[in-house]
Amino acid sequence: MTVLPLTNLGHPTLRRRAEEILDTADPGWGTLATDMIETMEAAGGVGLAGPQVDMPYRIIVFTVPAERQEVDEPKPPPGTQVLLNPEWFPVDEDGNPLDPDFLPDEDDEEVWLDDVDSSLQSMDLLEEGLEGCLSIPGLRGLVPRFRRILYRGTDLNGRHIERVAEGFHARVVQHEIDHLDGILFIDRMIDLRTLCFESELHYLLEGRLDTDDEDDD
Ligand code: NI
């Protein structure tokens, strides 16, 4: 087991689309996953994606701490999860995929942000939450994510995994899969004024950081 060096914001691998893993049965992925888990734990994180250790392949590891689980949410699997070639999409209360007409075109960043700001948030499909990233050490920011998703991928035993996730579980999966597409949490933020160093985060949490544009109701 090895703690691997982390790539930091500015490293080109963090901005590339990671490659599909074709030989999911290759034991080398298990070795990499073990090292990634050790790296994640050593850094005090809850998720890590291949590009964050300069491995541009579609592999993620993550865990959902018990204190981040709400009782009314589908129970996350225990322990640390490893997924190869993961993907996700937003689903409704019954686990059915949302009408694609509701969804913004993710290739068009402006449309994405506009839609996030208006319709999706008002429809209660998104929720904002604080995120950090081991590749952007020391910083936190408010990021909108889909509240409920279905995700799938392949585990290290070659099994097809498919789960519905809500809340923090859904958030960490969206964050890690974004890494595989060269997207960082700061790219998803609506208001960069909520980007804070951890040492100053209490101002945001105490409501002392004025980030309201106009209406204060
Ligand atoms: Ni990250």
Side-chain angles (χ1 to χ4, degrees):
M1 302 223 290
T2 315
V3 173
L4 304 168
L6 289 164
T7 51
N8 282 319
L9 178 65
H11 193 293
T13 301
L14 288 175
R15 291 309 194 173
R16 281 177 57 187
R17 186 178 190 279
E19 290 174 32
E20 214 76 27
I21 294 175
L22 302 176
D23 49 347
T24 55
D26 188 320
W29 300 116
T31 307
L32 175 61
T34 303
D35 291 346
M36 285 173 65
I37 291 168
E38 187 164 346
T39 305
M40 175 184 87
E41 289 174 350
V46 294
L48 196 68
Q52 293 185 274
V53 290
D54 202 15
M55 291 294 285
Y57 300 100
R58 302 187 80 79
I59 177 171
I60 63 171
V61 302
F62 64 92
T63 187
V64 183
E67 66 270 19
R68 304 304 300 265
Q69 299 168 23
E70 305 289 340
V71 282
D72 56 340
E73 293 170 357
K75 213 167 171 44
T80 302
Q81 304 300 306
V82 179
L83 279 183
L84 311 179
N85 302 325
E87 54 183 13
W88 69 272
F89 42 90
V91 294
D92 65 17
E93 300 269 354
D94 302 318
N96 299 313
L98 290 177
D99 184 340
D101 289 344
F102 282 154
L103 302 177
D105 178 0
E106 290 207 41
D107 293 335
D108 185 337
E109 196 175 339
E110 268 182 52
V111 172
W112 165 254
L113 290 178
D114 282 351
D115 284 5
V116 163
D117 219 6
S118 53
S119 59
L120 293 175
Q121 208 144 26
S122 64
M123 289 182 334
D124 210 30
L125 297 175
L126 294 164
E127 62 189 358
E128 277 202 315
L130 269 179
E131 290 187 25
C133 180
L134 295 180
S135 294
I136 311 175
L139 286 168
R140 297 287 173 88
L142 281 177
V143 184
R145 297 285 185 187
F146 283 94
R147 184 190 304 278
R148 185 180 299 101
I149 65 167
L150 186 148
Y151 68 91
R152 56 193 179 201
T154 303
D155 73 9
L156 289 172
N157 298 313
R159 283 182 301 223
H160 178 75
I161 302 295
E162 190 165 302
R163 296 191 193 103
V164 172
E166 286 181 34
F168 185 80
H169 183 194
R171 176 172 297 277
V172 71
V173 169
Q174 290 170 78
H175 177 119
E176 297 313 326
I177 296 179
D178 263 356
H179 274 299
L180 304 181
D181 294 319
I183 298 168
L184 301 171
F185 83 83
I186 49 176
D187 306 333
R188 296 287 194 204
M189 291 177 65
I190 294 173
D191 188 348
L192 276 173
R193 290 174 299 181
T194 71
L195 190 63
C196 303
F197 280 99
E198 277 157 13
S199 57
E200 318 298 341
L201 189 60
H202 61 102
Y203 291 116
L204 179 68
L205 298 177
E206 291 160 4
R208 291 166 64 195
L209 186 67
D210 187 6
T211 57
D212 287 332
D213 281 326
E214 42 208 66
D215 300 332
D216 204 5
D217 52 19

